[in-house]
Amino acid sequence: MTIMDYTALELGAMIKNKKITISEALDAVFERIDAQENRLHCYLTLDREGAYAQARTLQEIIMKGEETGPLFGVPLAIKDNLCTKGLRTSCASKMLENFVPAYDAEAVAHLKRAGMVIIGKTNMDEFAMGNTTENSYFGGTRNPLKEDHVPGGSSGGSAAAVAAGECFAALGTDTGGSVRQPASHVGIVGIKPTYGTISRYGLIAYSSSMDQVGFLTKNVADGAALLDAAAFYDPKDSTSVAREKSWQGGFDQGVKGLRIGIPKDYFEMELDPEVGKAVMEAARALEREGAIVEEFELGLAEYAVPAYYTIVCGEASSNLERYDGMKYGYRADAKELHETYGKTRSLGFGTEVRRRIMLGTFVLSEGYYEAYYLKALKVRRLIKEAFDRAFGHYDVLLGPVCPKTAPKLGALQEDTLWGYLADKYTVPANLCGLPAMSIPCGRDALGLPIGLQLMGAQFHETLLLRVASTFEKLYQQSDAGRRPS
Amino acid sequence: MEQEKKEIMTRERIKRVARLAELNLSPDEEVRFQQDVQRMLEYVDCLNTLDTDGVEPLYQVIEDNPVMREDMPESVYGREELLSGAPSERGGYFAVPRSFQ
């Protein structure tokens, strides 16, 4: 086994026991990065100097034998819409191409305190708008498993970096599936916590009522460790929730007696048969382990995407008003104020961003607000009520993450609406603020990974982790899931 | 039954929305965005098939979370930090183009 084969927690243990130094771990990561980045393009910014400096500081603490946490010294990659003090944060946009934050995002600060070492900032769809990472101003990222395919998005760079061994874990963000979907497409674990669990302070806003920091990791235990290290109440984020860390009690109790519900509606929508098959096989495996598995009618499934896109574009158009070229970011050359606004925003934002701003501005505008935005918010409540009813009967809901495996590069460029429909299984968790996870459950005929989605009621991450870790053990024993040595 | 699709996103409306959003669109972009937005609006129109009479909009997914705090000003960042990203700065102020409107 080489260093890069370790999970984040395994590496953490080796570092704690002084079997590996943090610098050695960084050497291994940068060796991989140097060998692959020209092709894969997972990163937008690498901070070699900062990482090694941090490694030296942290190593001293290890050598002194001081008390350290399980992730101490582990190299971490961060999606480029999370502010990192002194390290360029671009949101993969021309608008923030040269933006260097004066502060760390709260989630970043917590993981730094836990001793994680930041290696760099990863590629993403511009301002998190997209699901292939092709909307990046700096060019896309390749799926490490099949390099002429996308890694998914918008946290594609983070997901690809974990899958390619270019970091041990990565932060992403999930507004409509942007952690779960790339995790599914590259065959790793993705966790989107309950809304309010991770502070959004320093997360460059896309859709404030749905944005949430998420974790991309090699396995479930790593994901839980990052969740634990970053979940704290933050008074600076008015949507932050003071909550119990229920998962600290452990999640290895198995699934006997747990009620797992499978929304029939998801299988009645357009879904690749290989994906459907892998997901149902996963459900049967869990049933053999003692879970009570049942199909049921969730309801309103086809309304999630239209409600989501109306709300997300409205909120995005509002959040992106701040990019006016005045106080930071790109400023176009113009003589007059409004001319500067218009030119800056037209040149600074890519096409998809401008498209969503246009739609969002319209649905929030006078005369249309009630018919579109407010209507979508009412449908949102109906969708939430459908999930509340489902969680009255089931502990966890199970289904696909995406209707297909990772498309080829360039496949979605012409048909944006079809691209939006690909989010149909992931957006409900964002609309309702539910915790959700993606874990590997199969491969298609081309060898592309298939993810299994688990959704829980708000604040019930522990149930998700229980089901996920049970399934992970089963899957890793199967041929498809066997860990490469 | 083929329903006649109402043109909601007219050329005029696209221009108006672009003005509200402070986006300069070229004539080609106006046409393109007009088509894109029109298509999205036709798609999301399906929400109107749902009866939402008496349903309250869901603005916040965690509804019983107390969000208010005391209105106490706090100095967190210094002038230098706040000006650090300024495209143009003069004497400790952001320098911006004048408005002729």
Side-chain angles (χ1 to χ4, degrees):
Chain A
M1 240 175 135
T2 73
I3 292 178
M4 284 323 300
D5 294 322
Y6 292 124
T7 66
L9 287 175
E10 284 169 350
L11 179 68
M14 301 288 278
I15 288 171
K16 199 185 190 80
N17 296 326
K18 302 191 183 108
K19 298 220 163 66
I20 294 176
T21 67
I22 302 168
S23 290
E24 281 171 338
L26 286 178
D27 290 342
V29 172
F30 283 115
E31 197 187 310
R32 271 298 169 92
I33 288 173
D34 291 336
Q36 298 178 138
E37 264 298 281
N38 275 348
R39 289 183 347 259
L40 297 184
H41 193 227
C42 304
Y43 285 93
L44 294 178
T45 306
L46 284 168
D47 185 19
R48 253 175 254 254
E49 227 179 272
Y52 279 103
Q54 185 65 350
R56 282 191 291 274
T57 308
L58 297 178
Q59 192 66 42
E60 269 177 43
I61 297 172
I62 292 278
M63 299 320 280
K64 282 194 216 152
E66 284 176 36
E67 189 67 37
T68 57
L71 293 168
F72 197 89
V74 176
L76 174 75
I78 296 181
K79 185 178 181 182
D80 213 15
N81 61 351
L82 284 158
C83 286
T84 42
K85 184 175 180 167
L87 193 57
R88 194 270 303 260
T89 299
S90 74
C91 288
S93 179
K94 183 187 173 78
M95 193 61 87
L96 294 177
E97 187 175 8
N98 300 309
F99 175 64
V100 180
Y103 67 108
D104 279 328
E106 199 70 1
V108 171
H110 286 307
L111 291 173
K112 271 175 153 174
R113 264 194 286 278
M116 296 197 88
V117 180
I118 297 169
I119 335 171
K121 309 301 292 298
T122 56
N123 201 12
M124 52 183 282
D125 283 296
E126 188 180 357
F127 282 104
M129 300 185 193
N131 53 21
T132 62
T133 306
E134 289 169 307
N135 289 333
S136 167
Y137 174 65
F138 302 103
T141 295
R142 292 177 184 277
N143 189 321
L145 280 84
K146 249 192 161 3
E147 294 183 16
D148 56 339
H149 287 247
V150 300
S154 59
S155 309
S158 277
V162 175
E166 293 190 14
C167 64
F168 286 86
L171 289 188
T173 67
D174 191 312
T175 302
S178 292
V179 160
R180 291 162 284 155
Q181 183 255 45
S184 175
H185 281 340
V186 306
I188 61 173
V189 173
I191 298 180
K192 181 199 88 65
T194 305
Y195 183 84
T197 297
I198 314 288
S199 170
R200 289 182 301 110
Y201 182 77
L203 161 48
I204 295 176
Y206 166 25
S207 181
S208 306
S209 78
M210 297 192 278
D211 288 344
Q212 192 63 188
V213 174
F215 310 104
L216 290 144
T217 55
K218 298 185 186 188
N219 69 2
V220 176
D222 282 359
L226 264 87
L227 170 65
D228 197 49
F232 293 96
Y233 168 67
D234 182 9
K236 299 188 297 300
D237 171 0
S238 67
T239 59
S240 176
V241 176
R243 58 163 297 179
E244 253 188 72
K245 293 188 173 191
S246 50
W247 55 79
Q248 287 178 337
F251 46 87
D252 277 326
Q253 306 94 322
V255 298
K256 220 172 160 99
L258 279 191
R259 299 163 301 160
I260 297 179
I262 304 177
K264 271 196 258 210
D265 336 42
Y266 287 174
F267 290 81
E268 286 154 11
M269 302 169 101
E270 211 175 299
L271 172 65
D272 184 289
E274 282 182 288
V275 174
K277 183 160 173 269
V279 168
M280 289 312 284
E281 274 172 11
R284 279 193 282 273
L286 287 163
E287 198 169 39
R288 287 193 292 272
E289 289 298 301
I292 301 158
V293 178
E294 206 175 270
E295 286 180 48
F296 74 105
E297 190 81 25
L298 174 62
L300 301 172
E302 69 267 42
Y303 298 103
V305 169
Y308 171 79
Y309 271 96
T310 307
I311 296 166
V312 91
C313 291
E315 294 191 358
S317 72
S318 178
N319 278 324
L320 269 63
E321 279 178 9
R322 67 195 62 175
Y323 302 105
D324 56 10
M326 297 299 120
K327 298 191 282 293
Y328 51 82
Y330 171 70
R331 180 192 287 182
D333 198 27
K335 293 287 178 285
E336 189 272 341
L337 187 65
H338 281 273
E339 210 194 313
T340 308
Y341 289 159
K343 211 169 164 191
T344 295
R345 291 164 63 80
S346 304
L347 294 174
F349 289 139
T351 306
E352 183 60 27
V353 172
R354 284 180 295 146
R355 186 181 286 128
R356 295 192 193 194
I357 289 174
M358 292 290 288
L359 179 65
T361 303
F362 178 73
V363 303
L364 291 180
S365 67
E366 194 188 336
Y368 299 101
Y369 174 83
E370 275 99 14
Y372 290 99
Y373 185 66
L374 224 49
K375 181 76 182 182
L377 291 180
K378 292 178 180 185
V379 173
R380 184 183 195 178
R381 185 174 296 280
L382 294 179
I383 292 173
K384 173 98 193 334
E385 286 171 356
F387 276 94
D388 289 342
R389 281 193 295 275
F391 288 118
H393 299 290
Y394 304 105
D395 297 302
V396 169
L397 303 186
L398 176 155
V401 181
C402 330
K404 292 182 184 211
T405 55
K408 277 196 149 164
L409 291 160
L412 289 183
Q413 291 304 61
E414 285 323 302
D415 192 345
T416 50
L417 183 55
W418 187 82
Y420 296 171
L421 289 170
D423 295 336
K424 62 195 180 205
Y425 301 129
T426 48
V427 299
N430 302 91
L431 282 169
C432 304
L434 309 175
M437 286 181 66
S438 171
I439 46 170
C441 74
R443 296 282 178 109
D444 73 0
L446 290 177
L448 287 165
I450 297 170
L452 176 71
Q453 182 172 215
L454 302 170
M455 288 187 278
Q458 287 178 355
F459 308 113
H460 283 76
E461 278 84 347
T462 310
L463 289 173
L464 294 184
L465 292 168
R466 267 175 71 179
V467 177
S469 87
T470 301
F471 180 74
E472 182 179 66
K473 287 194 200 79
L474 297 169
Y475 182 64
Q476 281 174 350
Q477 282 157 25
S478 75
D479 284 327
R482 211 168 296 277
R483 207 163 139 181
S485 53
Chain B
M1 184 185 78
E2 183 59 42
Q3 267 182 315
E4 213 183 271
K5 296 225 161 100
K6 208 176 84 187
E7 198 200 21
I8 312 161
M9 194 41 57
T10 61
R11 199 62 185 270
E12 269 319 297
R13 285 205 183 114
I14 269 288
K15 287 187 205 274
R16 179 170 160 267
V17 171
R19 265 199 316 275
L20 285 174
E22 299 278 4
L23 288 172
N24 293 348
L25 302 182
S26 69
D28 280 343
E29 284 173 332
E30 270 179 19
V31 172
R32 182 181 178 181
F33 283 133
Q34 183 188 355
Q35 287 169 351
D36 287 346
V37 175
Q38 171 69 21
R39 200 163 167 226
M40 275 307 291
L41 294 175
E42 283 169 9
Y43 170 60
V44 306
D45 193 54
C46 65
L47 296 177
N48 286 318
T49 63
L50 289 173
D51 181 8
T52 53
D53 268 344
V55 179
E56 284 300 302
L58 188 67
Y59 294 101
Q60 282 298 333
V61 294
I62 315 279
E63 286 193 290
D64 53 4
N65 199 32
V67 300
M68 305 306 276
R69 61 172 170 78
E70 285 305 307
D71 186 12
M72 299 287 290
E74 233 182 273
S75 192
V76 182
Y77 300 108
R79 189 183 280 265
E80 214 181 280
E81 283 163 305
L82 294 171
L83 286 169
S84 63
S88 178
E89 181 255 328
R90 208 175 296 162
Y93 292 85
F94 293 105
V96 305
R98 64 183 67 198
S99 170
F100 291 142
Q101 289 182 17

